[in-house]
């Protein structure tokens, strides 16, 4: 099973997976209907289903028009049912996408309703569709949740198999790495990842998917328990270093918000 991105707005990716035999696709967070409709028309495929991670408009704006066209099911948080989501789902439930089971993980923090979807396909690597919770080199802003909630969401994702491919919604990698390098400048894996990502962007190529292993090594929001990362964030904020995990995570997030 593979996902590929359709670019939308300035820096969104609508992730698509195609079943060539059935000539049908699933779309993740279709913020813009036209992008998906154009793809379906040009490739002569139908939309079989939609997965939604959270309520923000750039993830949901295209749903109504797409459903009118294809009458497909929409899986997502209960907060969007029944208006946008026809199949509300919760932590621990599974959805079949082209025959592969995706497990629902509740990951509040960016929003309170945020869901991620994790799969272990029999024929390819594990996959995580993570919306605005986890980005390559960063995490979503805390618009609704607390640092403790986002920390627990990050720990949930950090414990997934290291080889898991990570599909976030935004191409924020280079700006995330600028911040990460400012607080964690001696991290050789981060320096290397920044070089690779810069080369990809120079060729206008997406830097996604990432992997859980790469995020464990480079993402400051997965490295909240590394003393050098918290010290770097404290120095940037000109504050004393936080002494417990939740406040360390919050300090890194605050440093990023003001960067
Ligand atoms: Zn969002």
């Amino acid at each position: 099973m593979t996902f590929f991105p359709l670019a939308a707005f300035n820096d969104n990716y609508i992730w698509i997976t195609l079943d060539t035999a059935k000539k049908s696709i699933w779309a993740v967070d279709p913020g813009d209907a036209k992008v998906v409709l154009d793809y379906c028309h040009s490739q002569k495929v139908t939309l079989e289903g939609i997965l939604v991670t959270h309520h923000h408009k750039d993830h949901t704006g295209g749903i109504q028009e797409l459903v009118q066209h294809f009458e497909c099911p929409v899986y997502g948080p209960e907060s969007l049912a029944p208006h946008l989501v026809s199949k509300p789902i919760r932590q621990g439930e599974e959805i079949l996408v082209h025959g592969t089971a995706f497990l629902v993980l509740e990951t509040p923090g960016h929003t309170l309703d945020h869901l991620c979807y994790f799969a272990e396909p029999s024929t390819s690597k594990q996959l995580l569709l993570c919306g605005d919770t986890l980005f390559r080199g960063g995490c979503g802003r805390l618009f609704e949740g607390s640092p403790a909630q986002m920390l627990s969401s990050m720990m949930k994702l950090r414990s997934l198999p290291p080889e898991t491919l990570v599909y976030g919604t935004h191409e924020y990698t280079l700006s995330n790495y600028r911040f990460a390098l400012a607080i964690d400048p001696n991290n050789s894996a981060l320096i290397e990842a920044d070089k690779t990502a810069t080369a990809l962007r120079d060729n206008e190529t997406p830097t996604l998917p990432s992997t859980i292993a790469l995020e464990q090594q480079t993402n400051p929001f997965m490295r909240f328990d590394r003393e050098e990362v918290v010290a770097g964030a404290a120095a940037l904020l000109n504050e004393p270093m936080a002494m417990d995990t939740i406040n360390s995570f919050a300090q890194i997030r605050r440093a990023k918000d003001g960067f």
Side-chain angles (χ1 to χ4, degrees):
M1 166 171 251
T2 55
F3 278 81
F4 58 91
L6 302 180
F9 310 118
N10 281 337
D11 49 32
N12 283 55
Y13 295 129
I14 299 172
W15 293 102
I16 300 289
T17 184
L18 168 70
D19 184 318
T20 46
K22 284 196 289 186
K23 288 197 151 287
S24 72
I25 62 166
W26 280 70
V28 183
D29 286 348
D32 186 347
K34 186 174 186 304
V35 172
V36 179
L37 288 172
D38 287 351
Y39 176 82
C40 288
H41 291 149
S42 70
Q43 301 301 309
K44 300 187 168 50
V45 297
T46 58
L47 180 63
E48 188 178 329
I50 294 172
L51 297 180
V52 184
T53 61
H54 67 294
H55 69 81
H56 284 159
K57 187 90 173 158
D58 63 317
H59 298 248
T60 58
I63 293 174
Q64 274 181 318
E65 195 178 337
L66 290 170
V67 168
Q68 276 170 14
H69 241 85
F70 295 104
E71 293 178 15
C72 61
V74 183
Y75 293 86
E78 286 176 320
S79 62
L80 292 171
H83 185 54
L84 289 176
V85 162
S86 58
K87 308 267 188 193
I89 35 169
R90 304 210 59 176
Q91 169 79 34
E93 294 186 308
E94 288 189 338
I95 304 155
L96 277 184
V97 175
H98 294 329
T100 295
F102 278 73
L103 176 67
V104 179
L105 305 173
E106 290 178 356
T107 55
H110 174 66
T111 61
L112 291 175
D113 66 353
H114 203 295
L115 304 177
C116 295
Y117 302 95
F118 172 71
E120 300 189 82
S122 53
T123 53
S124 57
K125 284 183 185 165
Q126 296 93 332
L127 306 156
L128 176 72
L129 304 167
C130 53
D132 287 355
T133 294
L134 177 61
F135 299 127
R136 180 164 169 180
C139 76
R141 275 178 192 264
L142 304 185
F143 286 119
E144 296 173 10
S146 65
Q149 282 174 312
M150 188 56 131
L151 171 65
S152 122
S153 297
M154 279 296 129
M155 289 172 84
K156 211 182 255 187
L157 301 187
R158 192 169 75 164
S159 68
L160 294 174
E163 60 276 22
T164 302
L165 296 169
V166 176
Y167 297 83
T169 297
H170 291 280
E171 183 57 68
Y172 290 160
T173 307
L174 295 188
S175 63
N176 285 338
Y177 281 166
R178 271 195 295 282
F179 168 72
L181 284 164
I183 65 168
D184 193 12
N186 301 316
N187 180 340
S188 55
L190 173 59
I191 294 165
E192 200 48 47
D194 181 53
K195 279 187 198 154
T196 313
T198 302
L200 287 169
R201 294 313 293 151
D202 285 347
N203 288 316
E204 293 175 17
T205 304
T207 61
L208 306 179
S210 181
T211 63
I212 291 293
L214 182 66
E215 298 314 304
Q216 287 169 344
Q217 292 163 16
T218 57
N219 189 322
F221 299 98
M222 286 211 165
R223 290 166 55 75
F224 50 83
D225 42 10
R226 298 291 293 240
E227 197 177 325
E228 68 271 28
V229 176
V230 186
L236 202 64
L237 289 164
N238 207 13
E239 288 177 2
M241 193 177 141
M243 297 311 285
D244 65 84
T245 315
I246 293 174
N247 283 311
S248 296
F249 185 85
Q251 194 165 44
I252 299 166
R253 189 59 252 179
R254 263 201 323 283
K256 174 70 164 71
D257 291 343
F259 187 70

